[in-house]
């Protein structure tokens, strides 16, 4: 399945103004609810729901699958997709973070 089709099946983000990725209660990454970031926000929100707000290797692997064709593009072009780069970093370095959706 392609990214656009996958997005259609994910939970709505209409009620969100963004999502924070936290390490020890400190924001290390933020995804705003703005044009160009809405797909990433929708993926991360779905991951937060499915994995009870925990971003670990299992969650990151699911996220890479949800990003579909963009994952390969991110792997071949580091820095082009920072939200995917974060998932790759979680897997490569065995990191654990918290995902906190921000309600409007």
């Amino acid at each position: 399945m392609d990214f656009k089709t996958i997005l259609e099946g994910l939970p709505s983000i209409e009620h969100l103004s963004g999502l924070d990725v936290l390490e020890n209660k400190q924001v290390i990454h933020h995804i705003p609810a703005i044009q160009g970031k809405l797909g990433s926000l929708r993926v991360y929100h779905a991951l937060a729901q499915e994995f009870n707000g925990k971003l670990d290797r299992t969650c990151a692997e699911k996220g890479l699958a949800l990003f579909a064709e963009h994952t390969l593009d991110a792997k071949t072009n580091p820095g082009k997709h920072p939200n995917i780069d974060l998932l790759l970093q979680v897997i490569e370095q065995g990191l654990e973070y918290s995902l906190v959706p921000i309600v409007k």
Side-chain angles (χ1 to χ4, degrees):
M1 236 185 308
D2 69 345
F3 185 60
K4 184 177 183 222
T5 304
I6 290 169
L7 279 184
E8 292 170 1
L10 297 179
S12 170
I13 55 168
E14 300 297 317
H15 63 293
L16 298 180
S17 63
L19 181 140
D20 286 337
V21 180
L22 306 178
E23 179 179 37
N24 299 321
K25 299 183 182 178
Q26 297 289 334
V27 176
I28 61 143
H29 190 78
H30 175 73
I31 304 170
I34 60 171
Q35 209 56 283
K37 300 293 179 188
L38 297 175
S40 289
L41 179 58
R42 202 156 177 182
V43 167
Y44 272 79
H45 174 57
L47 294 172
Q49 286 186 332
E50 183 174 344
F51 294 93
N52 298 312
K54 182 179 179 183
L55 175 56
D56 61 5
R57 172 182 292 277
T58 303
C59 176
E61 288 171 347
K62 173 72 180 267
L64 293 179
L66 293 175
F67 275 111
E69 70 272 10
H70 296 294
T71 298
L72 178 58
D73 190 42
K75 287 178 178 178
T76 57
N77 299 288
K80 183 176 178 183
H81 301 280
N83 297 315
I84 299 173
D85 292 343
L86 178 63
L87 298 177
L88 293 168
Q89 184 181 14
V90 166
I91 293 168
E92 291 166 4
Q93 298 178 20
L95 303 171
E96 288 190 13
Y97 298 124
S98 298
L99 300 175
V100 181
I102 303 166
V103 179
K104 290 181 186 175

